[in-house]
Amino acid sequence: MINVTFVLGGCRSGKSGFALQTAGAIPAERRVFIATSMPLDDEMKARVARHRTERGAGWTTVEAPLALAEAIDENARNGSVILVDCLTLWISNLLLSTGAPAAVEARIPRLIETLAQAACPVVLVSNEVGAGIVPENKLARQFRDLAGTANQAVAAAAHRVVWVVAGIPVTIKPTGST
């Protein structure tokens, strides 16, 4: 597997900023940001605009709210660096679009396969959702379980896993570990 870094953290932990810094430090002629969000309200649209400004003009944005593996595969061919933000929004989008947890879970191995075959460094961001309370409703529990399954699979495949807490990156899986 080529260079895959997986960045986890809670909401507003600093994980996206750390991931952007990490991906930005990788020498690359082409930088690709794969966005999984679907900005459906004004607050999310403003958030997306702010993130585009933070990234700067050196990044190409690819929107892939459902076809994440395909977007990585297509963009990894150009010897670039890819930053994916974020895995949990992708899971949420799939769950809401299919309504079937099994269909979402079936997409995770394809993502792992794509990461293993990527011809460029990939940095992925995800929320750690398993540290909180058990959600009160079925959909939220399904989401939490799917996000946990996806996070475990990506963490196992990645060469580096970093947990960001209160803006402080903590490497939990260094290069060469299993």
Side-chain angles (χ1 to χ4, degrees):
M1 174 175 291
I2 197 121
N3 185 5
V4 174
T5 299
F6 188 40
V7 180
L8 290 161
C11 294
R12 306 302 304 161
S13 64
K15 63 189 175 298
S16 292
F18 174 79
L20 180 60
Q21 179 182 21
T22 299
I26 297 170
E29 290 183 23
R30 184 168 182 256
R31 299 184 185 287
V32 177
F33 181 87
I34 299 179
T36 60
S37 70
M38 292 191 292
L40 302 175
D41 59 43
D42 289 340
E43 184 275 333
M44 192 62 163
K45 289 175 185 174
R47 184 180 294 250
V48 167
R50 187 178 70 247
H51 284 288
R52 279 185 192 257
T53 300
E54 289 170 358
R55 283 194 301 276
W59 288 85
T60 299
T61 300
V62 174
E63 295 183 8
L66 299 172
L68 179 56
E70 295 80 359
I72 293 170
D73 185 46
E74 182 177 318
N75 287 281
R77 298 178 192 164
N78 300 324
S80 57
V81 59
I82 294 174
L83 172 56
V84 177
D85 200 350
C86 80
L87 191 61
T88 44
L89 282 175
W90 176 66
I91 294 291
S92 176
N93 296 340
L94 289 173
L95 183 57
L96 293 174
S97 71
T98 66
V104 177
E105 194 165 355
R107 302 277 296 267
I108 297 169
R110 172 72 173 105
L111 174 63
I112 301 307
E113 179 182 306
T114 300
L115 293 173
Q117 297 173 1
C120 73
V122 180
V123 178
L124 293 102
V125 177
S126 189
N127 287 289
E128 175 51 63
V129 298
I133 61 172
V134 175
E136 69 175 54
N137 66 74
K138 181 179 177 181
L139 179 62
R141 287 188 300 274
Q142 289 172 334
F143 166 75
R144 180 222 34 211
D145 293 349
L146 288 165
T149 297
N151 284 349
Q152 288 183 49
V154 173
H159 88 283
R160 180 178 180 217
V161 180
V162 178
W163 182 37
V164 181
V165 182
I168 300 170
V170 180
T171 300
I172 57 176
K173 182 181 179 184
T175 303
S177 68
T178 56

